[in-house]
Structures are given as C-alpha cells and as structure tokens.
Amino acid sequence: GGYSSGEIAGYSKAMHRYRMNKLISQMTATIQNVRTFFSTQRNYADLLSAGSGNNSLIKKAKLVPDDMIDANGHFQIEYGSAFNLIATTDKKENDTACLQFKLEKDACIDLLSYDWTDANVKYINIEGLGTKYPPISIDDAVTYCEKHSADPHIIDGFEFCFK
C-alpha cells in the first residue's frame, strides 16, 4: 500500500521541525563560537577583512560547525543557502556580527518568532523590509516574510545579527 495524505503531511511536518532544530543549532553554535573566539578583542573587526565565501579565518578558527561547510569547502546553512559571516560597521564600532543568507519562507517565519533572548540576538533584517527584534508574533512573522520576495518560497537578503 501507499502512504495516506495524513502520513505524508506528518512526515513533512516532522522533517520541517528536524531541519529547523538543526538550523537553530547551527546558528546558536556559530554565535557561541564567534563570541568565544573574539572574547579577548574589543569587536568583530577581523570579520570585516575575512570577506565571504571560501574563507580561511572562519574555517581555521572553526567559527561555524563542520556541517555548515559543504564538500567543496563553501559555507552552507540548513534550510537556506550559501552564507556570509561578517561584522557590521554598527556605529563604526564593528560590535555586531551577522550571518547573511537566503532562506526558505517557512524557516524565516520560525526564526523571527523564535525567542533568541538567551543568544543575545540583536536584530533580524530582511533586505528592503527593515529590522525586526525577535521574537515577534507568528502573524507578524508571516506578514513580514511573505512581503519580501518575488519567489514565494525563498527570502533573499536575510540578515541575522548578534553582539
């Protein structure tokens, strides 16, 4: 016999939750690793010179978990795309680090509504829509994430920033 639509929907929901847990774990580990690595420095200025893509500082310092680097050595985030890890010139202090990536819409909604208080997430920004300070309500997250892209499934210019 085949699978019922309820079984398929249940599997799909379970896979979404698994991937979201992995994404949250990746982002939390990255935040902790960056903070630990830069704990003796005033700011994240060295990330400015780190550049993007196939970056040696990020790899050598193990700022991202191994499962965020694909077989070709490029950065890849669960439920998203290739990403950059950068410092922002926030008030010229370089005191904020950001992960920048494309993200599937369902993951965008979950990340905005997730409570990042313990991780000290400063803000989440989607290019063209402005800044949000999570957690926000699921209704607001849906509205915010759905406004952005011509592609109804992918959010471009997602920026996740922390101190």
Side-chain angles (χ1 to χ4, degrees):
Y3 295 105
S4 71
S5 60
E7 290 172 320
I8 293 170
Y11 174 78
S12 178
K13 189 173 187 173
M15 281 306 299
H16 171 72
R17 182 58 26 221
Y18 168 80
R19 291 181 72 197
M20 280 308 304
N21 287 340
K22 184 174 179 181
L23 173 61
I24 289 167
S25 176
Q26 287 177 331
M27 294 175 80
T28 301
T30 299
I31 291 168
Q32 291 170 344
N33 293 346
V34 168
R35 284 192 183 132
T36 300
F37 184 78
F38 288 96
S39 65
T40 60
Q41 298 179 37
R42 259 187 36 235
N43 57 38
Y44 299 123
D46 286 345
L47 284 176
L48 285 175
S49 59
S52 62
N54 197 2
N55 181 282
S56 63
L57 169 68
I58 293 169
K59 290 176 187 174
K60 285 179 185 175
K62 295 205 172 274
L63 298 182
V64 298
D66 291 339
D67 66 353
M68 291 175 72
I69 301 172
D70 71 15
N72 297 320
H74 298 104
F75 300 130
Q76 189 73 30
I77 195 162
E78 183 70 27
Y79 244 134
S81 65
F83 67 90
N84 295 327
L85 177 60
I86 64 160
T88 64
T89 52
D90 190 28
K91 298 179 184 174
K92 304 286 186 229
E93 296 170 7
N94 303 318
D95 66 346
T96 303
C98 297
L99 283 164
Q100 297 174 325
F101 48 92
K102 292 180 181 179
L103 189 68
E104 293 180 23
K105 184 177 71 175
D106 289 343
C108 171
I109 293 165
D110 282 353
L111 286 182
L112 282 175
S113 58
Y114 187 79
D115 186 355
W116 291 99
T117 305
D118 291 342
N120 195 22
V121 170
K122 189 171 182 183
Y123 59 86
I124 295 176
N125 184 55
I126 298 177
E127 186 179 299
L129 289 180
T131 302
K132 292 292 179 190
Y133 301 89
I136 67 172
S137 73
I138 291 176
D139 288 343
D140 287 346
V142 168
T143 300
Y144 190 70
C145 294
E146 286 184 346
K147 278 184 184 178
H148 183 65
S149 183
D151 181 333
H153 305 292
I154 301 294
I155 307 300
D156 198 5
F158 194 91
E159 190 172 65
F160 184 90
C161 302
F162 55 94
K163 279 192 167 248

